[in-house]
Amino acid sequence: MTRRRGKLDLDPVTVRKARSLARKAGRPIVKIAQQHTTVSVERATLRLAGLGGADAEGTPWVNRLLDAVRADVGLEHGAALPVWDALVRGEAEDLVTLAQKASAGSVRFRLPEGRDAQRARTASSRSVGAGIKQVDRRRVERERLIKRHGDAPRTPWIYLIVATGDIYEDIPQAQAAAREGADVIAVIRSTGQSLLDFVPEGATREGFAGTYATQENFRLMRAALDESSKELGRYVRLTNYASGLCMPEIAALAGLERLDMMLNDSMYGILFRDINPIRTFVDQRFSRQVHARAGIIINTGEDNYLTTADAVEAAHTVTTSQLLNEYFAKEAGLEDWQLGLGHAFEIDPAVPESFRLELAHALLARELFPNAPLKWMPPTRHMTGDVFRGYLLDGFFNLVGAMTGQGILLVGMMTEAVVTPWLSDRDLALQNVRYVQDATGGLHEDFHPAPDGLIATRARQVLGETIDLLDRIAAEGLLDAIADGTFGLMRRPADAGKGLEGVAKKADGYFNPATEILEAR
């Protein structure tokens, strides 16, 4: 009798082929990322060196300083050499003062050569290295607190969103959610922040359908959840969003302030925010290198494809993107336990056998990525405003999560797409999750679909379609596939999109101390 290979009996040769094709499709993108830099990568480097704050108009000093450097010497050599050359020459005693003088036009930057270049290289490596050491300390601090307080009592971790727009209102809601059983608190960003080419400064109280991602807001929420961790006897994780035009900077701030998870997808900004593909791939590689160093779990955004494309017809595009995200993440240094690959419960409930199809897709993800803490997303597209039907759909979603051993379960709301959830909505949603988890226990251990039944057959079909798509992408190029609308039906050409002007091809002699340190792993 032949031993079954997992619950779906996936052919290991087929699985290896899928990963091989993902590598083949992804390698040219990595090469492009290695050949380019962006304004956000350079600003993230300055932030790791300790530059923060903003001018009277709210423009961050990292933006002011980089704009001045770029105006004088361009971006293609990086910011480190001209900035630290100016400091070594005595133009200013620190980065903030240098940024202030540069903003006023009283400093001119140059590309140093010879001994001057070496002095600037050494000084910048020392300053940026100190910031990365702080990221290292925050990672050790997380590990120590988990050991002291204990971890979440079970998986999947219960992931709940709070976002009033006011960080000081978010904090008590987050703490209340933790008391009701949430293991992970996610603070959604204010609408449109992903399209800002700067990171706002300070604590904010005026977000729109979300709260601005800032270093101070990170610090305040992390401190509040540390209090809750101590109170509850389990470490409560904090999530935000490292995506959009400031992906590298927000990743750096997350590492410095000990966030635990970050939304960080390789293609989300391209597809759903029309950010230039080259800008996105360069930024996501640097941001993932920071996340790898910080011990942060990334969450990817494949669930979003199913809000614009049919969840049955496009199921293979989710699996394709998961495999690409895995390749890009591991190339940047992330480990399996840091890969919160996304997928979602989005099949139209009117489709016959919809629950079994959802089981097939969720179990396929679980079997393909057995060591990754998959992020399972609730129904949104087919929520109608009927809260009773919505509550039932969320219960089915929770049941699939329990049956297929997902790692991170985002709590579904029966008022999804109708109103911003009230605390009472969140409480009922948490009751739904807790009931399913308590009632099912270790059901995933007992659940084994029939070898030739609908679930296993459907999973193998999706994997086969995934290989066909990856084969085409590997032959034609991922950038062309994105331009053709392969993912989420969005057409995004590589020579267009927001943020393109912030990309520069690296010149000979380009230097970035953060990249050198992060890649020396």
Side-chain angles (χ1 to χ4, degrees):
M1 180 177 179
T2 303
R3 184 182 177 187
R4 291 188 63 201
R5 297 161 290 197
K7 295 184 179 184
L8 292 173
D9 196 25
L10 299 177
D11 179 9
V13 174
T14 303
V15 173
R16 285 197 297 271
K17 182 177 181 181
R19 283 197 162 86
S20 176
L21 287 169
R23 285 194 299 273
K24 185 177 179 181
R27 278 192 194 113
I29 300 298
V30 171
K31 186 174 181 180
I32 289 172
Q34 291 170 327
Q35 293 172 337
H36 293 79
T37 187
T38 73
V39 290
S40 189
V41 166
E42 302 303 323
R43 294 194 303 249
T45 303
L46 296 172
R47 288 187 180 277
L48 286 168
L51 180 55
D55 65 13
E57 297 176 353
T59 302
W61 289 123
V62 288
N63 287 66
R64 291 295 194 194
L65 180 54
L66 187 66
D67 288 348
V69 170
R70 193 177 189 187
D72 285 349
V73 299
L75 190 65
E76 60 271 17
H77 290 87
L81 291 180
V83 165
W84 271 271
D85 171 64
L87 290 174
V88 170
R89 285 189 284 117
E91 294 286 353
E93 60 270 21
D94 55 41
L95 284 170
V96 173
T97 306
L98 183 66
Q100 293 169 343
K101 288 186 173 182
S103 180
S106 61
V107 175
R108 303 295 296 179
F109 295 95
R110 66 174 189 174
L111 287 174
E113 298 178 352
R115 287 187 176 182
D116 290 339
Q118 186 55 47
R119 280 193 286 267
R121 187 184 297 261
T122 300
S124 64
S125 296
R126 185 184 306 116
S127 296
V128 174
I132 293 176
K133 285 180 181 177
Q134 174 64 6
V135 171
D136 294 341
R137 285 192 290 271
R138 299 315 298 268
R139 177 173 182 163
V140 171
E141 184 178 50
R142 178 193 300 115
E143 293 166 355
R144 186 172 67 248
L145 288 172
I146 291 173
K147 186 175 182 180
R148 177 187 303 167
H149 299 311
D151 209 339
R154 59 188 170 188
T155 56
W157 291 337
I158 299 174
Y159 178 116
L160 192 76
I161 290 170
V162 301
T164 66
D166 182 343
I167 188 63
Y168 294 105
E169 291 294 328
D170 289 345
I171 286 171
Q173 290 202 17
Q175 291 180 315
R179 292 188 190 101
E180 291 300 311
D183 303 307
V184 183
I185 300 296
V187 183
I188 282 186
R189 286 188 305 187
S190 180
T191 298
Q193 184 178 350
S194 62
L195 299 182
L196 298 180
D197 214 342
F198 67 93
V199 179
E201 186 71 22
T204 62
R205 310 196 70 170
E206 297 179 344
F208 303 93
T211 303
Y212 285 102
T214 74
Q215 184 170 8
E216 179 63 6
N217 285 350
F218 288 176
R219 187 192 68 80
L220 289 168
M221 185 61 82
R222 179 67 273 166
L225 293 181
D226 283 348
E227 292 178 5
S228 297
S229 299
K230 183 177 180 180
E231 170 194 336
L232 298 171
R234 57 181 172 84
Y235 185 73
V236 181
R237 287 174 170 81
L238 174 59
T239 300
N240 213 285
Y241 291 63
S243 59
L245 291 171
C246 292
M247 194 188 307
E249 292 173 84
I250 294 176
L253 297 177
L256 290 167
E257 298 300 335
R258 192 174 28 91
L259 272 71
D260 306 288
M261 293 185 189
M262 296 298 282
L263 278 288
N264 185 249
D265 184 76
S266 61
M267 293 189 287
Y268 175 84
I270 299 170
L271 302 175
F272 297 95
R273 295 294 181 265
D274 193 21
I275 296 174
N276 174 259
I278 306 299
R279 172 74 179 262
T280 298
F281 283 123
V282 176
D283 284 351
Q284 69 94 20
R285 184 171 187 266
F286 184 94
S287 68
R288 289 182 174 191
Q289 290 176 326
V290 174
H291 289 142
R293 184 77 177 224
I296 288 172
I297 296 170
I298 66 166
N299 296 162
T300 61
E302 283 81 6
D303 56 285
N304 292 281
Y305 304 166
L306 304 184
T307 63
T308 52
D310 183 82
V312 177
E313 294 178 0
H316 65 291
T317 67
V318 170
T319 308
T320 299
S321 179
Q322 289 171 336
L323 287 161
L324 289 168
N325 256 314
E326 179 193 48
Y327 168 71
F328 290 134
K330 289 193 170 183
E331 189 280 329
L334 289 157
E335 300 180 46
D336 282 327
W337 65 269
Q338 294 175 282
L339 306 184
L341 300 170
H343 55 139
F345 186 97
E346 290 286 17
I347 297 174
D348 185 342
V351 171
E353 308 281 9
S354 63
F355 184 75
R356 295 172 80 190
L357 292 173
E358 295 284 14
L359 275 171
H361 299 170
L363 191 56
L364 175 62
R366 179 72 285 163
E367 299 262 303
L368 284 175
F369 310 100
N371 299 313
L374 302 178
K375 185 183 177 189
W376 182 228
M377 299 288 286
T380 58
R381 184 176 182 180
H382 299 288
M383 299 293 270
T384 63
D386 180 340
V387 294
F388 302 103
R389 177 179 180 271
Y391 201 63
L392 179 61
L393 277 179
D394 285 333
F396 272 52
F397 156 74
N398 295 330
L399 180 57
V400 171
M403 293 177 71
T404 58
Q406 302 299 310
I408 305 163
L409 188 136
L410 194 148
V411 175
M413 297 287 165
M414 61 284 193
T415 48
E416 179 74 44
V418 182
V419 298
T420 299
W422 300 96
L423 279 173
S424 55
D425 299 341
R426 292 196 181 95
D427 187 53
L428 287 170
L430 284 166
Q431 286 183 36
N432 190 328
V433 176
R434 289 198 305 270
Y435 168 72
V436 172
Q437 286 193 338
D438 290 343
T440 57
L443 179 60
H444 66 279
E445 298 172 2
D446 297 328
F447 172 56
H448 291 270
D452 296 314
L454 185 149
I455 292 172
T457 301
R458 171 60 180 168
R460 290 193 292 269
Q461 176 191 347
V462 172
L463 181 57
E465 292 172 353
T466 297
I467 287 176
D468 291 342
L469 178 55
L470 281 169
D471 202 10
R472 177 169 69 82
I473 293 172
E476 299 176 1
L478 180 55
L479 291 178
D480 286 342
I482 293 170
D484 289 343
T486 299
F487 301 98
L489 303 181
M490 304 293 184
R491 298 178 182 271
R492 305 301 190 199
D495 59 354
K498 301 175 181 70
L500 175 59
E501 70 284 352
V503 180
K505 189 166 185 179
K506 294 177 181 176
D508 291 340
Y510 171 85
F511 175 68
N512 185 315
T515 299
E516 292 212 345
I517 294 168
L518 293 170
E519 291 188 350
R521 60 183 186 272

